[in-house]
């Protein structure tokens, strides 16, 4: 077997096509691990276990899962940065996390009560972040600044591919939760294992101060602005990811408008269409941001597109309104995820604590997942039916995220 070697230097060397391919595949596996689970399978299971208050149970599951994810990502990043040994500081934890994810799937399938589902999701989030925190650090460790936009364009394929896997498992070929989780287990393993088997890390970087670091005050301010921008984007994305199935069922009345169709099949079709546009927007955005040497205008544009899609959801629930909204949302989400990934890796304070710093940044993924259920419950009101208020509030937050990024000074 031919191995892909990693040699740590004062600054990372340029990466080749082989490394980009296996890193992209691993990212795809990570997103397959959680996107269809949290956007499709868990809402369906919540509706079965608590038909009288499915939104309440889903919000509870999301809340406790996000709390677990926040702590697990920070801890996993800290441990990964400080792991010595012949197998490297990232690979052992990625492997342990992968095994844990597969075990958590079995626990989720076996959950037969609301409490059991909450505990199973907490276990999944612990295992997933044990895998994802060191995996995410590999990108910042290995990819130089002048390639970050290009490589981010490839690993930006992960989010839409993760969403596309939801389309696959929603087909009649896999009618049960057990069958769907088995398919996810196979896909995740097939995507992550090539990186573990063919990439060898070099020695850990020295613990001395990084002489190439920019002034700490500038970096800290830039880090804060990027953190705030991503936080806003992720609140909007968390609302769409967690509640779109119930939006289509209760507000858009998808099943009533399309006799014989299920809501999950309708969501799968919307995701499939959006995925194509997400792929295109992310890939083009990543390449252009590298070529032009600019990140902030692309993120601002992404905020506008995301907000436009959410406003369509709020004001036009009749078909084809949800389709138009998902197209705009998909374009914005694809553009945002790719360019933001490059920007975050570019403004990290130090290579020696990459995973720890990314763990702090990853709070912008997990804290919004805590706040989104609170926002949903408050905005939807006692009857859980005020969808326009929820979507308009989310649109305003997305716009704010696009504007905050202009506070960054280290890059354009």
């Amino acid at each position: 077997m031919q191995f892909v070697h990693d040699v740590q230097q004062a600054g990372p060397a340029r990466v080749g096509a082989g490394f980009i391919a296996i890193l992209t595949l691993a990212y795809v596996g990570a997103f397959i691990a959680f996107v269809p689970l949290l956007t499709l399978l868990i809402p369906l299971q919540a509706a079965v276990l608590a038909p009288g208050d499915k939104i309440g149970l889903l919000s509870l599951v999301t809340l406790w899962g996000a709390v677990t994810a926040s702590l697990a990502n920070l801890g996993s990043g800290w441990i990964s940065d400080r792991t010595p040994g012949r197998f490297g500081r990232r690979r052992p934890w990625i492997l342990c996390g992968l095994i844990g994810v597969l075990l958590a799937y079995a626990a989720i399938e076996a959950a037969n009560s609301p409490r059991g589902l909450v505990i199973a999701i907490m276990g999944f989030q612990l295992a997933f972040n044990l895998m994802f925190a060191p995996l995410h650090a590999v990108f910042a460790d290995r990819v130089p600044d002048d390639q970050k936009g290009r490589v981010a364009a490839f690993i930006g394929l992960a989010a839409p591919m993760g969403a596309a896997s939801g389309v696959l498992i929603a087909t009649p070929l896999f009618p049960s939760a057990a069958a769907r989780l088995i398919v996810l287990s196979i896909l995740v393993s097939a995507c992550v294992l090539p990186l573990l088997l063919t990439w060898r890390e070099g020695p850990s970087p020295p613990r001395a101060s990084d002489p190439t670091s920019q002034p700490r005050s500038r970096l800290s301010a830039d880090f804060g602005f990027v953190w705030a921008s991503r936080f806003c984007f992720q609140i909007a994305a968390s609302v769409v990811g967690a509640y779109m199935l119930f939006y289509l069922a209760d507000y858009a009345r998808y099943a009533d408008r399309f006799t014989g169709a299920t809501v999950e099949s309708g969501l799968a079709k919307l995701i499939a269409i959006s995925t194509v546009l997400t792929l295109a927007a992310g890939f083009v955005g990543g390449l252009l941001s590298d070529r032009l040497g600019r990140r902030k205008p692309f993120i601002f544009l992404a905020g506008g597109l995301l907000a436009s899609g959410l406003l369509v959801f709020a004001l036009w629930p009749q078909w084809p309104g949800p389709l138009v909204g998902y197209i705009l949302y998909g374009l914005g989400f694809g553009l945002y995820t790719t360019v933001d990934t490059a920007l975050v890796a570019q403004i990290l304070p130090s290579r020696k604590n990459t995973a720890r710093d990314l763990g702090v940044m990853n709070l912008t993924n997990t804290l919004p997942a805590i706040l989104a259920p609170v926002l949903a419950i408050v905005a939807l009101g006692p009857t859980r039916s005020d969808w326009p208020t929820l979507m308009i509030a989310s649109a305003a937050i997305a716009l704010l995220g696009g504007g905050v990024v202009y506070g960054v000074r280290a890059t354009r």
Side-chain angles (χ1 to χ4, degrees):
M1 181 178 292
Q2 183 178 4
F3 285 88
V4 180
H5 291 271
D6 172 20
V7 179
Q8 294 281 2
Q9 304 172 13
R14 292 181 67 83
V15 294
F19 177 80
I20 294 173
I22 59 172
L23 181 63
T24 298
L25 190 61
Y27 263 80
V28 170
F31 276 78
I32 289 174
F34 81 90
V35 172
L37 178 73
L38 300 183
T39 61
L40 182 63
L41 298 185
I42 296 305
L44 288 173
Q45 197 161 353
V48 171
L49 295 177
D53 191 13
K54 57 188 179 184
I55 291 179
L57 176 56
L58 179 61
S59 298
L60 188 65
V61 168
T62 303
L63 173 65
W64 283 107
V67 170
T68 305
S70 299
L71 298 175
N73 196 273
L74 284 172
S76 300
W78 188 89
I79 293 172
S80 172
D81 282 336
R82 286 154 180 77
T83 299
R86 54 181 295 208
F87 298 110
R89 56 179 183 158
R90 310 299 186 200
R91 290 168 67 226
W93 297 108
I94 296 173
L95 176 60
C96 290
L98 173 62
I99 294 171
V101 164
L102 302 182
L103 294 175
Y105 282 160
I108 291 168
E109 198 280 328
N112 56 11
S113 68
R115 177 180 294 181
L117 184 60
V118 170
I119 293 172
I121 286 298
M122 291 174 69
F124 168 80
Q125 290 287 14
L126 176 63
F128 175 77
N129 283 278
L130 188 62
M131 176 179 75
F132 189 67
L135 173 62
H136 195 33
V138 172
F139 171 71
D141 286 342
R142 286 289 294 117
V143 181
D145 284 352
D146 63 350
Q147 280 189 291
K148 280 187 166 66
R150 182 174 304 172
V151 177
F154 282 98
I155 65 176
L157 301 174
M161 292 301 291
S165 67
V167 178
L168 172 65
I169 66 171
T171 64
L173 291 174
F174 310 109
S176 67
R180 291 167 173 174
L181 287 167
I182 289 172
V183 172
L184 290 186
S185 299
I186 294 171
L187 291 175
V188 173
S189 300
C191 290
V192 175
L193 284 175
L195 178 72
L196 296 175
L197 295 175
T198 65
W199 172 56
R200 284 181 175 171
E201 295 180 74
S204 299
R207 300 299 298 172
S209 299
D210 186 350
T212 64
S213 293
Q214 301 177 39
R216 190 72 176 187
S217 60
R218 169 65 58 85
L219 284 170
S220 296
D222 286 346
F223 192 90
F225 280 118
V226 174
W227 196 98
S229 174
R230 179 184 271 202
F231 179 77
C232 292
F233 273 104
Q234 290 296 344
I235 288 178
S238 294
V239 168
V240 174
Y243 296 99
M244 188 51 60
L245 185 72
F246 296 154
Y247 166 88
L248 289 176
D250 299 341
Y251 188 55
R253 301 289 181 184
Y254 183 88
D256 294 342
R257 300 179 192 280
F258 297 93
T259 305
T262 63
V263 177
E264 55 264 35
S265 68
L267 178 59
K269 291 173 184 176
L270 289 176
I271 290 173
I273 295 170
S274 176
T275 295
V276 176
L277 298 172
T278 300
L279 289 170
F283 201 79
V284 173
L287 295 179
L288 282 178
S289 72
D290 259 4
R291 181 177 294 272
L292 299 176
R294 300 176 71 90
R295 312 289 190 202
K296 294 184 286 188
F298 292 94
I299 293 178
F300 182 75
L301 175 60
L305 289 168
L306 264 146
S308 298
L310 289 160
L311 288 175
V312 171
F313 290 148
L315 304 176
W316 191 11
Q318 299 81 13
W319 198 263
L323 173 61
V324 174
Y326 238 102
I327 288 173
L328 293 169
Y329 176 83
L331 288 170
F333 186 75
L335 185 60
Y336 154 72
T337 52
T338 297
V339 180
D340 175 76
T341 298
L343 177 61
V344 167
Q346 199 168 338
I347 55 89
L348 288 177
S350 171
R351 290 181 63 226
K352 64 189 177 72
N353 292 312
T354 298
R356 183 205 64 187
D357 296 333
L358 285 173
V360 176
M361 183 61 70
N362 194 60
L363 291 173
T364 60
N365 296 328
T366 54
L367 291 180
I370 296 172
L371 293 177
V374 177
L375 174 63
I377 290 174
V378 172
L380 290 173
T383 62
R384 306 287 195 262
S385 61
D386 193 355
W387 291 97
T389 297
L390 176 61
M391 294 301 176
I392 291 171
S394 301
I397 293 170
L399 279 177
L400 179 61
V404 166
V405 77
Y406 275 96
V408 175
R409 292 290 179 264
T411 186
R412 294 189 297 167

